[in-house]
Amino acid sequence: LKDRIRIVPHIFQSPSSAMAIKVGDSLPSAMMHDGSPGTKVDLKEIFAGKKGVLFGVPGAYTPTCTSAHVPSYVNVTAEQWKEKGVEVVVCMAVNDAFVFSAWAATFGETSVKFLADPCSEATKAMGLAFDAPPLLEALGNPRCKRFVMGLDDGKVVGLNISGEDGKTDEHTFATAALEFF
């Protein structure tokens, strides 16, 4: 067992655990579902050659995600993003494409693109898996941490992760994303 896990003070970490993405890193290549399992897109390619915002939520239909986090982005107009040079805004979560698309539709017409990460491929590659025991009890499986990152040609230029470095949920809302540019 010792060769399969390593104990770090106050942290349990498996060898396959990715270190969290940080400012200066490039976005990993990871397949996401765009509306259905049959429509896959590479997260890295979406941001190639563009300025953009990627934000993650723990799950569709969850209280804070539905009432505050996503609305903070939906309420920013395409023109406001454009003024900052932002060409693409993507919301991601560990959900299946059908649930995520149905949830996205509840926000109406928006410039935000909703991409599902059903197998946590992107979430794990970025080291942003959220697996605290209370979350597992409520949602059943590891999810995506609440975060926002500013990207320029796929390179992280700004990053806030809720619960890390004194950041709260509000530090991952659209107002914070706009400050990255």
Side-chain angles (χ1 to χ4, degrees):
L1 185 59
K2 284 174 107 175
D3 60 328
R4 293 179 43 214
I5 61 172
R6 103 183 154 193
I7 305 290
V8 179
H10 306 294
I11 298 172
F12 178 87
Q13 194 173 36
S14 72
S16 62
S17 294
M19 293 296 294
I21 196 166
K22 61 188 180 311
V23 172
D25 288 349
S26 292
L27 208 54
S29 180
M31 297 312 289
M32 308 286 284
H33 293 186
D34 187 1
S36 75
T39 308
K40 296 181 181 176
V41 295
D42 187 331
L43 186 62
K44 185 175 186 167
E45 289 179 17
I46 291 169
F47 292 97
K50 299 176 185 158
K51 281 189 179 178
V53 172
L54 174 63
F55 70 100
V57 297
Y61 296 104
T62 56
T64 302
C65 302
T66 302
S67 68
H69 198 177
V70 172
S72 79
Y73 287 88
V74 170
N75 292 332
V76 176
T77 67
E79 292 76 32
Q80 288 171 299
W81 289 117
K82 205 174 286 185
E83 286 173 14
K84 294 289 191 170
V86 174
E87 301 167 75
V88 61
V89 179
V90 174
C91 175
M92 66 170 279
V94 177
N95 274 113
D96 67 81
F98 302 116
V99 168
F100 211 52
S101 292
W103 184 56
T106 68
F107 296 103
E109 190 68 30
T110 177
S111 59
V112 176
K113 185 172 195 62
F114 289 78
L115 297 176
D117 186 20
C119 297
S120 304
E121 182 182 342
T123 301
K124 289 176 183 175
M126 293 186 289
L128 294 173
F130 184 36
D131 58 2
L135 175 97
L136 293 176
E137 187 176 313
L139 299 178
N141 61 302
R143 299 298 181 108
C144 182
K145 290 182 180 180
R146 187 178 310 281
F147 75 89
V148 61
M149 65 177 70
L151 298 154
D152 188 353
D153 192 23
K155 190 172 187 176
V156 181
V157 296
L159 175 66
N160 291 339
I161 303 170
S162 182
E164 296 186 13
D165 299 321
K167 305 293 185 198
T168 64
D169 288 354
E170 289 76 19
H171 290 102
T172 66
F173 291 3
T175 51
L178 287 164
E179 292 174 9
F180 290 149
F181 303 98

